[in-house]
Amino acid sequence: MITTQTTLFSEIEKVIKGLNFASITEERKTVLQPLADFIQEKVSNQQEIRINFICTHNSRRSHLSQVWAQAMASYFNVKNVFCYSGGTEATALFPIAAETLKNQGFQIKRIAEGKNPVYSIKYGDNAHPIIGFSKRLDDDFNPKSEFAAIMTCSQADGGCPIIAGAEKRIPITFDDPKAFDNTPQQAEKYQERSLQIATELFYVFSQVNL
């Protein structure tokens, strides 16, 4: 069977083409390289690639990272990539994070209500939707072994020195846009953080030799 590349929604393609790769410093590239190496090793060995992005509340940065990583895997046609997210505790996917992704071209549908709503997040017409909701990093929804644990916030990085089942534990931390909640800069800062994450994950997947 021939597998074809999933076409991303045009608005997401437009965002990707507008990313500023010069913003990634050499120091930051060093931080990102272990993730690129993990993906490359799996590709070279024709193995499935599982990546769990971990933050404290699994509400903002970890979700933005999960969604953009899955989209970038599709953009670069890296097969068998399965992205997850989790927290040291479960809260809810923050609505502004979901709104930010929607504004950047993702198709967002709330499929379950409640204190911890569940979202369907699509990046292409034929793409399998990402199921977005807040969960603990060891939730049954997430892999139990053979995955890379990416620590997206310094609090989770410091509080979880060991992630059970992880092959690799890689700190790639981002500043929390929560600091700007309920301020005039909120939308701007969420977009800024999402674009930073997109830019850096573009760099990671661009390093993979297929």
Side-chain angles (χ1 to χ4, degrees):
M1 185 179 77
I2 298 173
T3 57
T4 56
Q5 183 173 4
T6 298
T7 301
L8 274 62
F9 291 131
S10 60
E11 280 300 307
I12 299 175
E13 292 260 8
K14 185 177 177 182
V15 169
I16 291 173
K17 287 178 169 58
L19 295 175
N20 176 21
F21 311 115
S23 64
I24 306 176
T25 64
E26 291 303 315
E27 182 181 10
R28 190 65 176 171
K29 287 177 181 178
T30 301
V31 171
L32 298 169
Q33 194 60 46
L35 177 54
D37 292 343
F38 174 82
I39 297 169
Q40 182 65 67
E41 181 181 357
K42 294 294 184 181
V43 167
S44 299
N45 292 326
Q46 297 184 318
Q47 295 174 310
E48 292 183 342
I49 303 156
R50 300 181 189 89
I51 308 170
N52 193 2
F53 294 91
I54 296 167
C55 202
T56 305
H57 299 116
N58 190 210
S59 58
R60 296 169 175 81
R61 290 164 287 180
S62 48
H63 275 108
L64 295 173
S65 300
Q66 175 190 6
V67 171
W68 274 115
Q70 198 71 64
M72 290 304 176
S74 180
Y75 184 81
F76 285 100
N77 206 25
V78 182
K79 302 296 186 184
N80 297 316
V81 176
F82 303 96
C83 297
Y84 305 84
S85 66
T88 54
E89 59 183 278
T91 54
L93 198 170
F94 192 59
I96 302 301
E99 188 69 21
T100 300
L101 289 168
K102 183 177 180 180
N103 291 340
Q104 292 171 336
F106 291 88
Q107 188 182 90
I108 311 279
K109 183 181 290 186
R110 192 182 291 211
I111 57 177
E113 301 293 338
K115 292 182 179 179
N116 186 5
V118 180
Y119 297 82
S120 163
I121 305 167
K122 287 190 73 174
Y123 50 89
D125 283 329
N126 294 331
H128 191 282
I130 299 161
I131 305 302
F133 66 100
S134 184
K135 70 203 82 66
R136 283 178 51 88
L137 61 94
D138 57 356
D139 188 276
D140 288 341
F141 202 80
N142 288 339
K144 301 300 181 186
S145 63
E146 299 178 336
F147 67 94
I150 310 303
M151 315 307 289
T152 63
C153 78
S154 55
Q155 187 176 349
D157 183 33
C160 297
I162 298 174
I163 304 296
E167 282 184 37
K168 300 277 185 181
R169 181 191 178 283
I170 305 168
I172 302 177
T173 61
F174 302 98
D175 290 340
D176 194 352
K178 181 181 180 180
F180 296 92
D181 285 358
N182 303 312
T183 74
Q185 295 172 282
Q186 179 175 266
E188 174 193 347
K189 291 299 181 180
Y190 273 80
Q191 175 167 303
E192 183 182 291
R193 189 62 58 242
S194 183
L195 290 176
Q196 180 201 356
I197 289 168
T199 302
E200 296 190 353
L201 289 169
F202 181 102
Y203 172 78
V204 165
F205 279 93
S206 74
Q207 301 302 298
V208 179
N209 182 3
L210 300 179

